[in-house]
Amino acid sequence: MSSVLQGYRRLSVDIEAMRDMRREVRDKWKMILENLGFMAEAESLLTVSTSASCDRMRNAAVARSLLQTLHTETSIFNRKEAPPERYLFILDRLIYLDAAEDFVAKARRFYPPKDDDDDDEEDNTGRINLPLLLSRMNQNISGGEDEDEEGETTGPED
């Protein structure tokens, strides 16, 4: 019985770590979008529904290429795993808005690729991610945002 309980605890920790990682990636994307001037649109640009289909994408090949560029030339994503497919849809929207290249340029500047040695937690604890810090400070100043149980941020009620 204790091994089952220990397994559930380990699974719970793994799920929470995955959620934290997803939140961190989403925060990075949101900060870059806001920096590009998409203050009001950032949340809707980052929203991808389950009905989204590659068939409906206008620029799937270009979006895939840009996603690969972001994966290899920035530290937005975990380099040991493939980037989430949902970001293809977001990049497709940015291509349509003629903002994808600007997004990639900002991503390269704000989140340069990490050295393989930088993957250790101990090495990263002394670093401050200034763009992410400023983005979170702006959220707190502008009325604060709450997190629901799914980990998605929601704005103040109107």
Side-chain angles (χ1 to χ4, degrees):
M1 183 70 169
S2 68
S3 65
V4 171
L5 188 57
Q6 190 175 20
Y8 281 125
R9 284 189 195 135
R10 217 175 303 143
L11 181 61
S12 178
V13 168
D14 290 345
I15 290 170
E16 193 58 35
M18 282 183 65
R19 285 182 177 160
D20 288 344
M21 194 179 322
R22 281 192 0 220
R23 249 181 252 127
E24 183 179 322
V25 169
R26 183 178 172 84
D27 286 347
K28 289 176 182 179
W29 277 71
K30 184 176 179 182
M31 191 280 307
I32 296 170
L33 288 171
E34 289 174 347
N35 193 277
L36 287 171
F38 293 106
M39 302 295 192
E41 300 89 355
E43 283 297 324
S44 61
L45 284 170
L46 288 170
T47 301
V48 177
S49 70
T50 55
S51 65
S53 164
C54 287
D55 298 341
R56 295 186 189 155
M57 290 178 64
R58 297 175 184 97
N59 301 290
V62 176
R64 189 167 299 282
S65 173
L66 290 173
L67 185 62
Q68 185 60 33
T69 298
L70 288 169
H71 184 248
T72 58
E73 298 181 18
T74 72
S75 59
I76 289 180
F77 299 108
N78 179 353
R79 295 180 67 121
K80 295 175 183 168
E81 299 174 10
E85 292 280 315
R86 69 186 328 267
Y87 291 100
L88 277 175
F89 298 99
I90 298 165
L91 284 167
D92 186 59
R93 294 172 190 163
L94 292 175
I95 293 166
Y96 180 76
L97 296 171
D98 198 28
E101 292 295 330
D102 293 335
F103 183 92
V104 172
K106 294 258 186 202
R108 283 180 177 138
R109 190 174 65 186
F110 291 154
Y111 303 102
K114 294 179 182 177
D115 296 334
D116 289 337
D117 299 339
D118 289 346
D119 288 340
D120 297 332
E121 284 292 322
E122 298 167 358
D123 292 343
N124 288 330
T125 54
R127 293 192 184 160
I128 296 175
N129 185 332
L130 188 58
L132 190 56
L133 178 64
L134 291 173
S135 175
R136 288 186 177 160
M137 285 177 50
N138 287 337
Q139 285 177 351
N140 290 336
I141 291 171
S142 67
E145 296 185 357
D146 302 319
E147 284 195 6
D148 61 23
E149 53 276 350
E150 292 293 322
E152 301 292 326
T153 54
T154 57
E157 306 241 338
D158 292 293

